[in-house]
mmCIF file of all heavy atoms in Angstrom:
data_model
loop_
_atom_site.group_PDB
_atom_site.id
_atom_site.type_symbol
_atom_site.label_atom_id
_atom_site.label_comp_id
_atom_site.label_asym_id
_atom_site.label_seq_id
_atom_site.Cartn_x
_atom_site.Cartn_y
_atom_site.Cartn_z
ATOM 1 N N TYR A 1 16.836 -53.300 -33.994
ATOM 2 C CA TYR A 1 15.875 -52.633 -33.126
ATOM 3 C C TYR A 1 16.559 -51.552 -32.300
ATOM 4 O O TYR A 1 17.684 -51.741 -31.829
ATOM 5 C CB TYR A 1 15.220 -53.642 -32.188
ATOM 6 C CG TYR A 1 14.461 -54.716 -32.908
ATOM 7 C CD1 TYR A 1 15.048 -55.956 -33.167
ATOM 8 C CD2 TYR A 1 13.162 -54.495 -33.355
ATOM 9 C CE1 TYR A 1 14.354 -56.951 -33.845
ATOM 10 C CE2 TYR A 1 12.463 -55.483 -34.034
ATOM 11 C CZ TYR A 1 13.057 -56.705 -34.272
ATOM 12 O OH TYR A 1 12.364 -57.673 -34.952
ATOM 13 N N LEU A 2 15.868 -50.457 -32.110
ATOM 14 C CA LEU A 2 16.324 -49.408 -31.212
ATOM 15 C C LEU A 2 15.267 -49.271 -30.115
ATOM 16 O O LEU A 2 14.159 -48.799 -30.368
ATOM 17 C CB LEU A 2 16.500 -48.083 -31.952
ATOM 18 C CG LEU A 2 17.017 -46.929 -31.098
ATOM 19 C CD1 LEU A 2 18.484 -47.178 -30.711
ATOM 20 C CD2 LEU A 2 16.893 -45.600 -31.840
ATOM 21 N N GLN A 3 15.621 -49.707 -28.918
ATOM 22 C CA GLN A 3 14.727 -49.595 -27.779
ATOM 23 C C GLN A 3 15.016 -48.279 -27.085
ATOM 24 O O GLN A 3 16.145 -48.051 -26.630
ATOM 25 C CB GLN A 3 14.940 -50.764 -26.817
ATOM 26 C CG GLN A 3 14.088 -50.690 -25.562
ATOM 27 C CD GLN A 3 12.612 -50.854 -25.839
ATOM 28 O OE1 GLN A 3 12.209 -51.703 -26.641
ATOM 29 N NE2 GLN A 3 11.781 -50.044 -25.192
ATOM 30 N N MET A 4 14.009 -47.440 -26.997
ATOM 31 C CA MET A 4 14.178 -46.106 -26.420
ATOM 32 C C MET A 4 13.341 -46.010 -25.159
ATOM 33 O O MET A 4 12.105 -46.123 -25.208
ATOM 34 C CB MET A 4 13.758 -45.044 -27.428
ATOM 35 C CG MET A 4 14.472 -45.162 -28.779
ATOM 36 S SD MET A 4 14.094 -43.813 -29.908
ATOM 37 C CE MET A 4 12.354 -44.076 -30.196
ATOM 38 N N ASN A 5 14.004 -45.814 -24.039
ATOM 39 C CA ASN A 5 13.339 -45.696 -22.748
ATOM 40 C C ASN A 5 13.570 -44.308 -22.170
ATOM 41 O O ASN A 5 14.509 -43.615 -22.563
ATOM 42 C CB ASN A 5 13.873 -46.749 -21.780
ATOM 43 C CG ASN A 5 13.638 -48.158 -22.270
ATOM 44 O OD1 ASN A 5 12.611 -48.460 -22.876
ATOM 45 N ND2 ASN A 5 14.601 -49.036 -22.030
ATOM 46 N N GLY A 6 12.731 -43.925 -21.231
ATOM 47 C CA GLY A 6 12.901 -42.635 -20.603
ATOM 48 C C GLY A 6 12.910 -41.484 -21.592
ATOM 49 O O GLY A 6 13.714 -40.559 -21.484
ATOM 50 N N LEU A 7 12.004 -41.536 -22.542
ATOM 51 C CA LEU A 7 12.022 -40.546 -23.613
ATOM 52 C C LEU A 7 11.751 -39.140 -23.101
ATOM 53 O O LEU A 7 10.965 -38.943 -22.150
ATOM 54 C CB LEU A 7 11.007 -40.917 -24.688
ATOM 55 C CG LEU A 7 11.461 -42.054 -25.603
ATOM 56 C CD1 LEU A 7 10.301 -42.670 -26.356
ATOM 57 C CD2 LEU A 7 12.526 -41.560 -26.572
ATOM 58 N N LYS A 8 12.411 -38.177 -23.730
ATOM 59 C CA LYS A 8 12.295 -36.777 -23.368
ATOM 60 C C LYS A 8 11.811 -35.977 -24.583
ATOM 61 O O LYS A 8 12.015 -36.406 -25.722
ATOM 62 C CB LYS A 8 13.663 -36.243 -22.931
ATOM 63 C CG LYS A 8 14.305 -37.015 -21.805
ATOM 64 C CD LYS A 8 15.697 -36.474 -21.503
ATOM 65 C CE LYS A 8 16.365 -37.232 -20.375
ATOM 66 N NZ LYS A 8 17.723 -36.696 -20.066
ATOM 67 N N PRO A 9 11.206 -34.832 -24.353
ATOM 68 C CA PRO A 9 10.764 -34.010 -25.495
ATOM 69 C C PRO A 9 11.897 -33.714 -26.482
ATOM 70 O O PRO A 9 11.655 -33.634 -27.692
ATOM 71 C CB PRO A 9 10.248 -32.740 -24.821
ATOM 72 C CG PRO A 9 9.762 -33.204 -23.492
ATOM 73 C CD PRO A 9 10.744 -34.269 -23.075
ATOM 74 N N GLU A 10 13.112 -33.595 -25.996
ATOM 75 C CA GLU A 10 14.239 -33.312 -26.888
ATOM 76 C C GLU A 10 14.623 -34.510 -27.754
ATOM 77 O O GLU A 10 15.470 -34.383 -28.642
ATOM 78 C CB GLU A 10 15.458 -32.824 -26.098
ATOM 79 C CG GLU A 10 15.841 -33.677 -24.925
ATOM 80 C CD GLU A 10 15.270 -33.166 -23.616
ATOM 81 O OE1 GLU A 10 14.073 -32.781 -23.598
ATOM 82 O OE2 GLU A 10 16.011 -33.161 -22.614
ATOM 83 N N ASP A 11 14.021 -35.661 -27.521
ATOM 84 C CA ASP A 11 14.237 -36.819 -28.395
ATOM 85 C C ASP A 11 13.339 -36.751 -29.632
ATOM 86 O O ASP A 11 13.462 -37.592 -30.531
ATOM 87 C CB ASP A 11 13.951 -38.122 -27.650
ATOM 88 C CG ASP A 11 14.939 -38.387 -26.531
ATOM 89 O OD1 ASP A 11 16.155 -38.169 -26.745
ATOM 90 O OD2 ASP A 11 14.502 -38.815 -25.440
ATOM 91 N N THR A 12 12.452 -35.795 -29.668
ATOM 92 C CA THR A 12 11.560 -35.644 -30.814
ATOM 93 C C THR A 12 12.352 -35.363 -32.083
ATOM 94 O O THR A 12 13.162 -34.430 -32.126
ATOM 95 C CB THR A 12 10.560 -34.503 -30.560
ATOM 96 O OG1 THR A 12 9.715 -34.860 -29.468
ATOM 97 C CG2 THR A 12 9.705 -34.239 -31.790
ATOM 98 N N ALA A 13 12.129 -36.185 -33.102
ATOM 99 C CA ALA A 13 12.877 -36.075 -34.355
ATOM 100 C C ALA A 13 12.369 -37.133 -35.324
ATOM 101 O O ALA A 13 11.606 -38.025 -34.939
ATOM 102 C CB ALA A 13 14.371 -36.277 -34.120
ATOM 103 N N VAL A 14 12.825 -37.031 -36.555
ATOM 104 C CA VAL A 14 12.673 -38.137 -37.493
ATOM 105 C C VAL A 14 13.895 -39.034 -37.316
ATOM 106 O O VAL A 14 15.035 -38.553 -37.356
ATOM 107 C CB VAL A 14 12.568 -37.649 -38.947
ATOM 108 C CG1 VAL A 14 12.478 -38.847 -39.896
ATOM 109 C CG2 VAL A 14 11.365 -36.726 -39.115
ATOM 110 N N TYR A 15 13.642 -40.309 -37.118
ATOM 111 C CA TYR A 15 14.721 -41.262 -36.907
ATOM 112 C C TYR A 15 14.950 -42.046 -38.193
ATOM 113 O O TYR A 15 14.008 -42.614 -38.765
ATOM 114 C CB TYR A 15 14.363 -42.205 -35.757
ATOM 115 C CG TYR A 15 14.544 -41.559 -34.411
ATOM 116 C CD1 TYR A 15 13.698 -40.526 -33.988
ATOM 117 C CD2 TYR A 15 15.570 -41.958 -33.550
ATOM 118 C CE1 TYR A 15 13.874 -39.903 -32.763
ATOM 119 C CE2 TYR A 15 15.752 -41.342 -32.314
ATOM 120 C CZ TYR A 15 14.900 -40.320 -31.934
ATOM 121 O OH TYR A 15 15.084 -39.712 -30.716
ATOM 122 N N TYR A 16 16.211 -42.057 -38.614
ATOM 123 C CA TYR A 16 16.596 -42.720 -39.851
ATOM 124 C C TYR A 16 17.518 -43.901 -39.568
ATOM 125 O O TYR A 16 18.407 -43.816 -38.722
ATOM 126 C CB TYR A 16 17.343 -41.756 -40.774
ATOM 127 C CG TYR A 16 16.523 -40.592 -41.262
ATOM 128 C CD1 TYR A 16 16.511 -39.388 -40.568
ATOM 129 C CD2 TYR A 16 15.768 -40.696 -42.425
ATOM 130 C CE1 TYR A 16 15.766 -38.317 -41.022
ATOM 131 C CE2 TYR A 16 15.020 -39.622 -42.888
ATOM 132 C CZ TYR A 16 15.025 -38.435 -42.175
ATOM 133 O OH TYR A 16 14.285 -37.370 -42.637
ATOM 134 N N CYS A 17 17.304 -44.949 -40.313
ATOM 135 C CA CYS A 17 18.170 -46.113 -40.267
ATOM 136 C C CYS A 17 19.117 -46.060 -41.466
ATOM 137 O O CYS A 17 18.690 -45.763 -42.592
ATOM 138 C CB CYS A 17 17.315 -47.378 -40.323
ATOM 139 S SG CYS A 17 18.242 -48.900 -40.398
ATOM 140 N N GLY A 18 20.392 -46.332 -41.229
ATOM 141 C CA GLY A 18 21.370 -46.338 -42.297
ATOM 142 C C GLY A 18 22.217 -47.594 -42.233
ATOM 143 O O GLY A 18 22.241 -48.285 -41.210
ATOM 144 N N SER A 19 22.902 -47.906 -43.331
ATOM 145 C CA SER A 19 23.751 -49.090 -43.332
ATOM 146 C C SER A 19 24.948 -48.899 -44.252
ATOM 147 O O SER A 19 24.949 -48.050 -45.149
ATOM 148 C CB SER A 19 22.957 -50.324 -43.754
ATOM 149 O OG SER A 19 22.630 -50.262 -45.134
ATOM 150 N N PHE A 20 25.981 -49.709 -44.009
ATOM 151 C CA PHE A 20 27.152 -49.761 -44.883
ATOM 152 C C PHE A 20 27.765 -51.143 -44.734
ATOM 153 O O PHE A 20 27.564 -51.820 -43.715
ATOM 154 C CB PHE A 20 28.165 -48.667 -44.537
ATOM 155 C CG PHE A 20 28.720 -48.730 -43.140
ATOM 156 C CD1 PHE A 20 29.833 -49.512 -42.836
ATOM 157 C CD2 PHE A 20 28.132 -47.987 -42.124
ATOM 158 C CE1 PHE A 20 30.340 -49.562 -41.545
ATOM 159 C CE2 PHE A 20 28.634 -48.031 -40.824
ATOM 160 C CZ PHE A 20 29.733 -48.823 -40.536
ATOM 161 N N ARG A 21 28.528 -51.531 -45.746
ATOM 162 C CA ARG A 21 29.174 -52.837 -45.692
ATOM 163 C C ARG A 21 30.238 -52.814 -44.607
ATOM 164 O O ARG A 21 31.126 -51.951 -44.605
ATOM 165 C CB ARG A 21 29.800 -53.181 -47.035
ATOM 166 C CG ARG A 21 30.307 -54.616 -47.080
ATOM 167 C CD ARG A 21 30.928 -54.964 -48.400
ATOM 168 N NE ARG A 21 31.490 -56.303 -48.362
ATOM 169 C CZ ARG A 21 32.397 -56.765 -49.199
ATOM 170 N NH1 ARG A 21 32.852 -55.969 -50.152
ATOM 171 N NH2 ARG A 21 32.833 -57.992 -49.101
ATOM 172 N N ASP A 22 30.146 -53.744 -43.685
ATOM 173 C CA ASP A 22 30.968 -53.734 -42.497
ATOM 174 C C ASP A 22 32.288 -54.482 -42.725
ATOM 175 O O ASP A 22 32.288 -55.681 -43.006
ATOM 176 C CB ASP A 22 30.209 -54.375 -41.339
ATOM 177 C CG ASP A 22 30.827 -54.048 -39.996
ATOM 178 O OD1 ASP A 22 31.991 -53.597 -39.968
ATOM 179 O OD2 ASP A 22 30.142 -54.237 -38.983
ATOM 180 N N LEU A 23 33.392 -53.748 -42.589
ATOM 181 C CA LEU A 23 34.716 -54.357 -42.722
ATOM 182 C C LEU A 23 35.511 -54.180 -41.436
ATOM 183 O O LEU A 23 36.736 -54.031 -41.458
ATOM 184 C CB LEU A 23 35.459 -53.719 -43.906
ATOM 185 C CG LEU A 23 34.792 -53.916 -45.282
ATOM 186 C CD1 LEU A 23 35.573 -53.183 -46.367
ATOM 187 C CD2 LEU A 23 34.673 -55.404 -45.615
ATOM 188 N N ASN A 24 34.805 -54.209 -40.311
ATOM 189 C CA ASN A 24 35.426 -54.137 -38.992
ATOM 190 C C ASN A 24 36.257 -52.873 -38.835
ATOM 191 O O ASN A 24 37.475 -52.931 -38.583
ATOM 192 C CB ASN A 24 36.282 -55.379 -38.734
ATOM 193 C CG ASN A 24 36.629 -55.529 -37.266
ATOM 194 O OD1 ASN A 24 35.879 -55.097 -36.401
ATOM 195 N ND2 ASN A 24 37.758 -56.147 -36.986
ATOM 196 N N PHE A 25 35.600 -51.759 -38.924
ATOM 197 C CA PHE A 25 36.259 -50.467 -38.846
ATOM 198 C C PHE A 25 36.482 -50.049 -37.391
ATOM 199 O O PHE A 25 36.016 -50.706 -36.449
ATOM 200 C CB PHE A 25 35.402 -49.410 -39.545
ATOM 201 C CG PHE A 25 35.221 -49.661 -41.014
ATOM 202 C CD1 PHE A 25 34.027 -50.177 -41.507
ATOM 203 C CD2 PHE A 25 36.234 -49.370 -41.906
ATOM 204 C CE1 PHE A 25 33.851 -50.403 -42.863
ATOM 205 C CE2 PHE A 25 36.070 -49.594 -43.262
ATOM 206 C CZ PHE A 25 34.882 -50.122 -43.740
ATOM 207 N N SER A 26 37.157 -48.923 -37.217
ATOM 208 C CA SER A 26 37.325 -48.349 -35.887
ATOM 209 C C SER A 26 35.992 -47.784 -35.401
ATOM 210 O O SER A 26 35.065 -47.565 -36.192
ATOM 211 C CB SER A 26 38.386 -47.246 -35.925
ATOM 212 O OG SER A 26 37.966 -46.201 -36.778
ATOM 213 N N ASP A 27 35.914 -47.525 -34.098
ATOM 214 C CA ASP A 27 34.642 -47.114 -33.498
ATOM 215 C C ASP A 27 34.067 -45.868 -34.165
ATOM 216 O O ASP A 27 32.858 -45.768 -34.402
ATOM 217 C CB ASP A 27 34.843 -46.840 -32.009
ATOM 218 C CG ASP A 27 35.102 -48.110 -31.219
ATOM 219 O OD1 ASP A 27 35.236 -49.185 -31.845
ATOM 220 O OD2 ASP A 27 35.188 -48.032 -29.977
ATOM 221 N N GLY A 28 34.907 -44.912 -34.438
ATOM 222 C CA GLY A 28 34.435 -43.643 -34.987
ATOM 223 C C GLY A 28 33.747 -43.778 -36.325
ATOM 224 O O GLY A 28 32.885 -42.976 -36.679
ATOM 225 N N TYR A 29 34.107 -44.795 -37.074
ATOM 226 C CA TYR A 29 33.522 -44.994 -38.399
ATOM 227 C C TYR A 29 32.027 -45.257 -38.293
ATOM 228 O O TYR A 29 31.235 -44.796 -39.108
ATOM 229 C CB TYR A 29 34.224 -46.163 -39.083
ATOM 230 C CG TYR A 29 34.004 -46.220 -40.572
ATOM 231 C CD1 TYR A 29 34.872 -45.581 -41.460
ATOM 232 C CD2 TYR A 29 32.930 -46.932 -41.106
ATOM 233 C CE1 TYR A 29 34.673 -45.650 -42.824
ATOM 234 C CE2 TYR A 29 32.725 -47.003 -42.473
ATOM 235 C CZ TYR A 29 33.592 -46.366 -43.328
ATOM 236 O OH TYR A 29 33.386 -46.415 -44.683
ATOM 237 N N TYR A 30 31.629 -45.997 -37.286
ATOM 238 C CA TYR A 30 30.215 -46.360 -37.119
ATOM 239 C C TYR A 30 29.370 -45.157 -36.678
ATOM 240 O O TYR A 30 28.155 -45.169 -36.849
ATOM 241 C CB TYR A 30 30.077 -47.483 -36.089
ATOM 242 C CG TYR A 30 30.766 -48.749 -36.525
ATOM 243 C CD1 TYR A 30 32.122 -48.939 -36.298
ATOM 244 C CD2 TYR A 30 30.063 -49.752 -37.190
ATOM 245 C CE1 TYR A 30 32.763 -50.093 -36.723
ATOM 246 C CE2 TYR A 30 30.697 -50.918 -37.599
ATOM 247 C CZ TYR A 30 32.047 -51.078 -37.374
ATOM 248 O OH TYR A 30 32.688 -52.214 -37.790
ATOM 249 N N LYS A 31 29.993 -44.132 -36.109
ATOM 250 C CA LYS A 31 29.272 -42.960 -35.623
ATOM 251 C C LYS A 31 29.230 -41.821 -36.641
ATOM 252 O O LYS A 31 28.592 -40.799 -36.395
ATOM 253 C CB LYS A 31 29.929 -42.449 -34.338
ATOM 254 C CG LYS A 31 29.971 -43.476 -33.226
ATOM 255 C CD LYS A 31 30.654 -42.908 -31.989
ATOM 256 C CE LYS A 31 30.693 -43.931 -30.858
ATOM 257 N NZ LYS A 31 31.329 -43.374 -29.641
ATOM 258 N N ASN A 32 29.897 -42.026 -37.746
ATOM 259 C CA ASN A 32 30.052 -40.965 -38.742
ATOM 260 C C ASN A 32 28.973 -41.055 -39.816
ATOM 261 O O ASN A 32 28.840 -42.078 -40.499
ATOM 262 C CB ASN A 32 31.439 -41.077 -39.381
ATOM 263 C CG ASN A 32 31.742 -39.905 -40.284
ATOM 264 O OD1 ASN A 32 30.871 -39.149 -40.687
ATOM 265 N ND2 ASN A 32 33.009 -39.741 -40.612
ATOM 266 N N LEU A 33 28.209 -39.993 -39.974
ATOM 267 C CA LEU A 33 27.138 -39.945 -40.970
ATOM 268 C C LEU A 33 27.646 -40.298 -42.371
ATOM 269 O O LEU A 33 26.957 -40.998 -43.133
ATOM 270 C CB LEU A 33 26.543 -38.537 -40.973
ATOM 271 C CG LEU A 33 25.430 -38.230 -41.964
ATOM 272 C CD1 LEU A 33 24.173 -38.981 -41.600
ATOM 273 C CD2 LEU A 33 25.170 -36.726 -42.004
ATOM 274 N N GLN A 34 28.828 -39.869 -42.701
ATOM 275 C CA GLN A 34 29.375 -40.055 -44.049
ATOM 276 C C GLN A 34 29.742 -41.510 -44.347
ATOM 277 O O GLN A 34 29.981 -41.864 -45.499
ATOM 278 C CB GLN A 34 30.604 -39.169 -44.244
ATOM 279 C CG GLN A 34 30.349 -37.685 -43.988
ATOM 280 C CD GLN A 34 29.206 -37.148 -44.823
ATOM 281 O OE1 GLN A 34 29.070 -37.480 -46.002
ATOM 282 N NE2 GLN A 34 28.372 -36.311 -44.222
ATOM 283 N N SER A 35 29.778 -42.348 -43.325
ATOM 284 C CA SER A 35 30.121 -43.752 -43.532
ATOM 285 C C SER A 35 28.976 -44.544 -44.147
ATOM 286 O O SER A 35 29.188 -45.602 -44.719
ATOM 287 C CB SER A 35 30.507 -44.407 -42.198
ATOM 288 O OG SER A 35 31.570 -43.725 -41.593
ATOM 289 N N TYR A 36 27.782 -44.038 -44.049
ATOM 290 C CA TYR A 36 26.589 -44.797 -44.410
ATOM 291 C C TYR A 36 26.216 -44.606 -45.874
ATOM 292 O O TYR A 36 26.143 -43.481 -46.369
ATOM 293 C CB TYR A 36 25.430 -44.404 -43.486
ATOM 294 C CG TYR A 36 25.663 -44.893 -42.083
ATOM 295 C CD1 TYR A 36 26.555 -44.239 -41.232
ATOM 296 C CD2 TYR A 36 25.034 -46.045 -41.613
ATOM 297 C CE1 TYR A 36 26.812 -44.708 -39.956
ATOM 298 C CE2 TYR A 36 25.276 -46.515 -40.333
ATOM 299 C CZ TYR A 36 26.169 -45.844 -39.516
ATOM 300 O OH TYR A 36 26.423 -46.318 -38.254
ATOM 301 N N ASP A 37 25.981 -45.739 -46.536
ATOM 302 C CA ASP A 37 25.690 -45.724 -47.970
ATOM 303 C C ASP A 37 24.201 -45.802 -48.295
ATOM 304 O O ASP A 37 23.774 -45.366 -49.366
ATOM 305 C CB ASP A 37 26.392 -46.902 -48.649
ATOM 306 C CG ASP A 37 27.897 -46.829 -48.513
ATOM 307 O OD1 ASP A 37 28.452 -45.740 -48.774
ATOM 308 O OD2 ASP A 37 28.515 -47.839 -48.143
ATOM 309 N N TYR A 38 23.435 -46.391 -47.412
ATOM 310 C CA TYR A 38 22.007 -46.602 -47.673
ATOM 311 C C TYR A 38 21.195 -46.058 -46.510
ATOM 312 O O TYR A 38 21.611 -46.160 -45.344
ATOM 313 C CB TYR A 38 21.705 -48.091 -47.871
ATOM 314 C CG TYR A 38 22.490 -48.716 -48.995
ATOM 315 C CD1 TYR A 38 23.631 -49.466 -48.725
ATOM 316 C CD2 TYR A 38 22.106 -48.534 -50.318
ATOM 317 C CE1 TYR A 38 24.373 -50.022 -49.763
ATOM 318 C CE2 TYR A 38 22.834 -49.088 -51.351
ATOM 319 C CZ TYR A 38 23.964 -49.829 -51.068
ATOM 320 O OH TYR A 38 24.685 -50.380 -52.097
ATOM 321 N N TRP A 39 20.023 -45.532 -46.828
ATOM 322 C CA TRP A 39 19.151 -44.930 -45.829
ATOM 323 C C TRP A 39 17.705 -45.330 -46.055
ATOM 324 O O TRP A 39 17.264 -45.532 -47.194
ATOM 325 C CB TRP A 39 19.240 -43.405 -45.891
ATOM 326 C CG TRP A 39 20.570 -42.874 -45.474
ATOM 327 C CD1 TRP A 39 21.612 -42.530 -46.287
ATOM 328 C CD2 TRP A 39 21.018 -42.641 -44.141
ATOM 329 N NE1 TRP A 39 22.676 -42.097 -45.537
ATOM 330 C CE2 TRP A 39 22.336 -42.151 -44.211
ATOM 331 C CE3 TRP A 39 20.429 -42.793 -42.886
ATOM 332 C CZ2 TRP A 39 23.083 -41.812 -43.072
ATOM 333 C CZ3 TRP A 39 21.167 -42.458 -41.758
ATOM 334 C CH2 TRP A 39 22.473 -41.966 -41.860
ATOM 335 N N GLY A 40 16.978 -45.428 -44.930
ATOM 336 C CA GLY A 40 15.546 -45.605 -45.017
ATOM 337 C C GLY A 40 14.854 -44.261 -45.135
ATOM 338 O O GLY A 40 15.506 -43.211 -45.169
ATOM 339 N N GLN A 41 13.533 -44.302 -45.172
ATOM 340 C CA GLN A 41 12.735 -43.084 -45.352
ATOM 341 C C GLN A 41 12.545 -42.312 -44.052
ATOM 342 O O GLN A 41 12.147 -41.141 -44.085
ATOM 343 C CB GLN A 41 11.371 -43.446 -45.938
ATOM 344 C CG GLN A 41 11.469 -43.978 -47.363
ATOM 345 C CD GLN A 41 12.053 -42.948 -48.311
ATOM 346 O OE1 GLN A 41 11.598 -41.819 -48.389
ATOM 347 N NE2 GLN A 41 13.091 -43.346 -49.038
ATOM 348 N N GLY A 42 12.782 -42.959 -42.926
ATOM 349 C CA GLY A 42 12.644 -42.300 -41.641
ATOM 350 C C GLY A 42 11.297 -42.569 -40.995
ATOM 351 O O GLY A 42 10.308 -42.868 -41.669
ATOM 352 N N THR A 43 11.277 -42.461 -39.677
ATOM 353 C CA THR A 43 10.038 -42.623 -38.916
ATOM 354 C C THR A 43 9.999 -41.533 -37.845
ATOM 355 O O THR A 43 10.994 -41.269 -37.174
ATOM 356 C CB THR A 43 9.938 -44.035 -38.305
ATOM 357 O OG1 THR A 43 8.665 -44.189 -37.662
ATOM 358 C CG2 THR A 43 11.042 -44.314 -37.296
ATOM 359 N N GLN A 44 8.846 -40.913 -37.710
ATOM 360 C CA GLN A 44 8.705 -39.788 -36.797
ATOM 361 C C GLN A 44 8.503 -40.268 -35.369
ATOM 362 O O GLN A 44 7.650 -41.131 -35.103
ATOM 363 C CB GLN A 44 7.514 -38.909 -37.207
ATOM 364 C CG GLN A 44 7.224 -37.755 -36.266
ATOM 365 C CD GLN A 44 8.284 -36.661 -36.340
ATOM 366 O OE1 GLN A 44 8.684 -36.248 -37.425
ATOM 367 N NE2 GLN A 44 8.727 -36.175 -35.181
ATOM 368 N N VAL A 45 9.274 -39.678 -34.459
ATOM 369 C CA VAL A 45 9.098 -39.903 -33.019
ATOM 370 C C VAL A 45 8.790 -38.548 -32.392
ATOM 371 O O VAL A 45 9.556 -37.595 -32.550
ATOM 372 C CB VAL A 45 10.361 -40.511 -32.388
ATOM 373 C CG1 VAL A 45 10.236 -40.529 -30.874
ATOM 374 C CG2 VAL A 45 10.592 -41.911 -32.931
ATOM 375 N N THR A 46 7.668 -38.478 -31.690
ATOM 376 C CA THR A 46 7.270 -37.244 -31.029
ATOM 377 C C THR A 46 7.027 -37.536 -29.552
ATOM 378 O O THR A 46 6.249 -38.432 -29.212
ATOM 379 C CB THR A 46 5.993 -36.660 -31.643
ATOM 380 O OG1 THR A 46 6.199 -36.439 -33.046
ATOM 381 C CG2 THR A 46 5.628 -35.340 -30.979
ATOM 382 N N VAL A 47 7.715 -36.794 -28.705
ATOM 383 C CA VAL A 47 7.605 -36.975 -27.264
ATOM 384 C C VAL A 47 6.965 -35.717 -26.682
ATOM 385 O O VAL A 47 7.519 -34.625 -26.790
ATOM 386 C CB VAL A 47 8.967 -37.228 -26.614
ATOM 387 C CG1 VAL A 47 8.794 -37.529 -25.130
ATOM 388 C CG2 VAL A 47 9.686 -38.378 -27.314
ATOM 389 N N SER A 48 5.810 -35.885 -26.066
ATOM 390 C CA SER A 48 5.102 -34.752 -25.488
ATOM 391 C C SER A 48 5.482 -34.580 -24.017
ATOM 392 O O SER A 48 5.775 -35.554 -23.322
ATOM 393 C CB SER A 48 3.597 -34.952 -25.619
ATOM 394 O OG SER A 48 3.195 -36.096 -24.883
#
């Protein structure tokens, strides 16, 4: 789950969930787009 509070118009985007097999990597690995092997279709978030 991603709980988003205090949403701002600049948070407007398609949000995608990704995953990879976890082998206890360094912190930067989890933040890197290229680390992820699988992706969902995305869900639109629009903040007015």
